[in-house]
Amino acid sequence: GVYVGSYDVSGMSAEEIQIALAEKLTYPQSGRLVLRDGANVWTSTPADLGAILDTPTMADRALAVGRTGDVFVRAGQQLAAWAEGVTLSPVLILDERVTTAYLDRVAAQLDRPTIEAGVVIQGREVEMQPGQVGRQLDRSASLEAIAAAAGTMTDGVIDLPVRQAPPAIMDASAQAALARQLLAQPFSLTADS
């Protein structure tokens, strides 16, 4: 017999194989993939991330067993199918538009700009603004990781690849102290005549 995963599709037409596999291989809807960034977690189905069963390709591959290649190859495949069965792997494809849209929503929560530390003077008040390390989701590497995880047809956890961009100045406390010291001293303005 010919099997796709553990499902026997022997003697079926292409349409019957596609219908049977769509009913039996429910991983895109029932599986769970967890995207993780530290304490932040997004749980979704593979279908939410764009994974789709490629039932036409699976049907074509199943129907090709014993029907392609030269006469010796065909005979060998037919004998193998009859004696012990031929098992083909399920095929998933990733709709990158769906994956990218999902990653855009994740990035909206995860990304943050690099902020240089600075000092703001308002009147005689000095306010220090701390720096912030910038973070940006690596969408390309994330897409590859999702494709690899979904391709295994098992549940999994994906640690999201994030690029960090530290500021050149993280702490402006020394500059703030200097500004406060200067503002504390009396000063006068003179105009040239």
Side-chain angles (χ1 to χ4, degrees):
V2 178
Y3 298 84
V4 176
S6 59
Y7 302 108
D8 189 352
V9 295
S10 303
M12 293 184 184
S13 69
E15 186 177 349
E16 290 169 333
I17 292 171
Q18 290 184 51
I19 292 168
L21 293 178
E23 289 175 357
K24 293 175 180 175
L25 296 173
T26 62
Y27 171 74
Q29 295 76 32
S30 63
R32 290 288 174 266
L33 290 176
V34 176
L35 306 182
R36 183 172 60 189
D37 173 51
N40 298 319
V41 172
W42 297 265
T43 302
S44 53
T45 66
D48 292 337
L49 294 169
I52 304 164
L53 279 175
D54 188 355
T55 54
T57 296
M58 290 186 281
D60 289 347
R61 288 182 181 173
L63 292 172
V65 172
R67 297 180 184 172
T68 56
D70 63 33
V71 68
F72 298 109
V73 170
R74 290 195 308 268
Q77 289 178 341
Q78 290 168 1
L79 182 60
W82 176 79
E84 67 232 22
V86 172
T87 301
L88 304 172
S89 297
V91 178
L92 275 182
I93 56 176
L94 199 63
D95 183 339
E96 292 188 8
R97 294 167 301 172
V98 174
T99 314
T100 300
Y102 191 97
L103 289 173
D104 285 344
R105 292 191 297 274
V106 169
Q109 300 172 52
L110 186 149
D111 287 359
R112 66 180 185 221
T114 301
I115 298 175
E116 298 292 338
V119 175
V120 176
I121 300 173
Q122 294 182 344
R124 295 185 71 82
E125 295 296 315
V126 176
E127 184 180 313
M128 185 183 74
Q129 295 179 334
Q132 173 177 278
V133 175
R135 303 181 81 236
Q136 187 173 36
L137 177 67
D138 185 334
R139 286 171 172 79
S140 176
S142 296
L143 195 128
E144 289 177 18
I146 290 168
T152 66
M153 300 267 297
T154 58
D155 294 348
V157 176
I158 300 164
D159 286 311
L160 291 171
V162 176
R163 290 189 299 260
Q164 299 210 5
I169 302 171
M170 188 71 175
D171 183 3
S173 54
Q175 292 87 340
L178 179 59
R180 287 187 186 101
Q181 183 182 7
L182 290 172
L183 287 173
Q185 296 175 8
F187 63 93
S188 61
L189 295 174
T190 58
D192 290 336
S193 51

